[in-house]
Amino acid sequence: MKIAFLIHNVYGIGGTIRTTLNLAAALADRHEVTIVSMLRHRAHPRFAIDPRVTVVPLVDLRADAADASDPLLREPARVFPAAEKRYKQYSRLTDLRAEGYLRRCDADVIIGTRPGVNVYLARFAPRRALRIAQEHLTHDTHSNGLRTQLARSYRDLDAVITTTRADAGVYRAKMPLPGVRVLGIPNSAPDPGPAPVDGRDKVVAAAGRLVPAKRFDLLIEAFTDVAAKHSDWSLRIYGAGADKERLQRLIDERGLGDQARLMGVVSPIETEFAKASLVASASDAESFGMTLVEAMRCGAPVVATDCPLGPAEIVQDGVDGRLVPVGDRHALTVALLDLIADESGRRRMGEAARTAARRFDPARVAQTYEDLFAELDTTRRSRARQRLKGRLRGLPGRGLRRLRSGRRLLRNLARLRG
């Protein structure tokens, strides 16, 4: 079977890139896999890519590339939705390259990995292929305008996959898609190897984009209380982003010195998680919670806010980690202090975390996708009937809305003439 992934920019750094590469490598055990990168900005990808996986870039943004002088690169995109937050990075050239590739694509399964790219998938991919949209962001984080665009595009696909069961439920409730399979399949993370965390190093680690929603400021505040009681413990935050200077000022203002440090981007992050005794996340919201899975695979217990939508589907509170209320500095501090004071408890929880995280092994997740491919293939006709019935049910409502709109237009014209 030939499988193609459509991704924004495989040459960058991010959770969607990591998880796509994990899944692609696992599927490459039995299939021919290609990753189609809409954009390319550097010579080599930052993450290692399985040599069995083919990478096809569509638009080369490097200054010395031929695409840099193409006038279409400076024309705004017409197909990529304007409400998508990456819209300014797309162009008429991207539209045309995506259309050209997809119309000629001979893959049996084509998987898009972000909303705007999924619009390309719905618009241009051949109908003989199974067309699957992954959603690495949640339904409710999309603007109303983008959701309207996606509802029109997604109804033509075979499946929409979210990273959590909870978000799949939101899509089914708020974006009915007759004939389209909507389900949650978690991201995968490989086994980092035979050396799990031993629970002795006095380090709390955290990782992610340095942006307000990740609430590293709350984690620093909570660690200020921890440091007052345990001066031999340190906090290490890995990542990059717009919040870096603000977070550094907060560390300085709290007098944490080298006890709390911003470490920059490190890949693979598992090497750092394996040096920590705890991994913490204070996010206000997560579409999944990839760092939690990566920490648990290293045998590190996690302390995380019980934010929508991912952590509760990853962490079993009190067994392989701790969940605390969103935005609650005191609860976060207490959970950290409890685990810091209980070394044997940390080890038991870390062992439980390592065992529980096996369900995110790439081979298992890949098998779930293969089962889905088989199901979608055998239900093509029945889902096509569901899709047709759904559209027929919507015709009266759409016709009535058009009639009302026409009447309003005629009234407005009459007023202008009068």
Side-chain angles (χ1 to χ4, degrees):
M1 180 182 290
K2 294 182 179 180
I3 302 170
F5 288 90
L6 311 179
I7 196 167
H8 168 63
N9 189 342
V10 80
Y11 296 84
I13 289 178
T16 299
I17 300 170
R18 288 203 314 274
T19 57
T20 299
L21 295 178
N22 291 342
L23 179 57
L27 289 169
D29 287 341
R30 291 180 293 277
H31 307 284
E32 183 180 327
V33 181
T34 299
I35 293 177
V36 182
S37 185
M38 299 295 114
L39 305 176
R40 177 184 191 172
H41 71 291
R42 65 197 314 269
H44 304 288
R46 293 182 182 273
F47 292 128
I49 298 179
D50 190 299
R52 299 170 299 173
V53 175
T54 301
V55 175
V56 177
L58 296 187
V59 175
D60 196 332
L61 300 177
R62 291 177 291 173
D64 59 347
D67 289 344
S69 59
D70 192 318
L72 293 175
L73 187 63
R74 281 162 285 284
E75 286 189 23
R78 300 178 193 173
V79 180
F80 195 89
E84 230 264 34
K85 72 173 187 176
R86 297 283 188 184
Y87 175 72
K88 291 184 178 180
Q89 298 180 35
Y90 282 72
S91 66
R92 187 64 184 143
L93 183 60
T94 326
D95 286 349
L96 294 174
R97 293 279 174 82
E99 179 180 4
Y101 180 86
L102 287 168
R103 291 202 186 282
R104 297 189 301 270
C105 184
D106 65 349
D108 302 292
V109 179
I110 309 175
I111 303 173
T113 60
R114 70 170 300 115
V117 172
N118 293 337
V119 172
Y120 286 152
L121 174 66
R123 182 85 168 264
F124 303 128
R127 294 188 177 261
R128 59 166 181 73
L130 294 175
R131 299 176 299 166
I132 299 171
Q134 287 182 347
E135 275 285 354
H136 291 267
L137 300 173
T138 65
H139 174 279
D140 291 348
T141 59
H142 297 324
S143 67
N144 289 334
L146 182 57
R147 287 199 292 263
T148 299
Q149 171 76 66
L150 296 182
R152 289 195 296 265
S153 297
Y154 283 7
R155 67 188 182 186
D156 292 324
L157 300 177
D158 292 284
V160 174
I161 297 177
T162 64
T163 55
T164 63
R165 296 186 302 274
D167 199 36
V170 174
Y171 269 90
R172 286 192 291 267
K174 296 184 177 181
M175 191 186 289
L177 299 167
V180 181
R181 186 85 158 84
V182 180
L183 71 161
I185 300 178
N187 290 330
S188 65
D191 187 343
V197 170
D198 65 11
R200 291 192 180 93
D201 293 335
K202 298 180 178 181
V203 174
V204 177
R209 290 176 297 116
L210 305 185
V211 294
K214 296 295 185 180
R215 293 307 310 272
F216 287 113
D217 58 335
L218 180 68
L219 178 58
I220 292 168
E221 296 283 12
F223 186 76
T224 302
D225 301 331
V226 170
K229 296 184 177 181
H230 298 277
S231 59
D232 52 343
W233 277 73
S234 62
L235 172 66
R236 301 288 180 260
I237 298 174
Y238 299 88
D243 243 12
K244 179 180 178 180
E245 291 185 6
R246 184 176 73 91
L247 295 173
Q248 186 59 60
R249 284 197 302 272
L250 182 60
I251 289 171
D252 295 340
E253 290 167 3
R254 296 297 177 266
L256 291 171
D258 284 341
Q259 261 189 284
R261 294 177 59 191
L262 304 179
M263 308 297 291
V265 175
V266 175
S267 178
I269 191 59
E270 290 89 344
T271 59
E272 302 306 316
F273 284 165
K275 301 173 186 176
S277 288
L278 293 171
V279 172
S281 171
S283 293
D284 283 340
E286 289 283 356
S287 56
F288 179 60
M290 192 62 191
T291 58
L292 304 182
V293 174
E294 290 166 332
M296 292 169 69
R297 293 234 67 175
C298 293
V302 298
V303 176
T305 48
D306 189 10
C307 62
L309 289 162
E313 294 188 18
I314 298 171
V315 179
Q316 187 175 356
D317 186 32
V319 177
D320 48 33
R322 292 285 302 275
L323 294 173
V324 300
V326 175
D328 191 330
R329 170 180 173 174
H330 176 71
L332 182 59
T333 301
V334 169
L336 291 171
L337 287 171
D338 285 349
L339 287 174
I340 284 172
D342 185 4
E343 183 176 331
S344 61
R346 285 201 311 275
R347 290 184 185 177
R348 286 194 303 272
M349 195 170 279
E351 290 169 1
R354 189 166 171 85
T355 299
R358 290 173 185 162
R359 69 188 188 275
F360 301 107
D361 186 82
R364 293 191 180 191
V365 175
Q367 183 62 59
T368 303
Y369 271 89
E370 289 175 321
D371 293 343
L372 175 64
F373 301 158
E375 176 194 333
L376 292 175
D377 190 48
T378 58
T379 59
R380 282 179 186 268
R381 290 185 178 180
S382 62
R383 290 186 297 100
R385 288 194 294 269
Q386 293 172 28
R387 183 180 290 115
L388 179 59
K389 288 179 182 178
R391 290 183 177 178
L392 290 174
R393 283 195 299 268
L395 283 176
R398 287 197 293 273
L400 183 59
R401 286 193 295 272
R402 287 170 184 161
L403 178 61
R404 288 172 177 168
S405 178
R407 286 175 176 172
R408 282 195 298 270
L409 178 60
L410 290 174
R411 285 197 299 269
N412 291 334
L413 287 172
R415 290 194 192 100
L416 288 171
R417 289 170 180 167

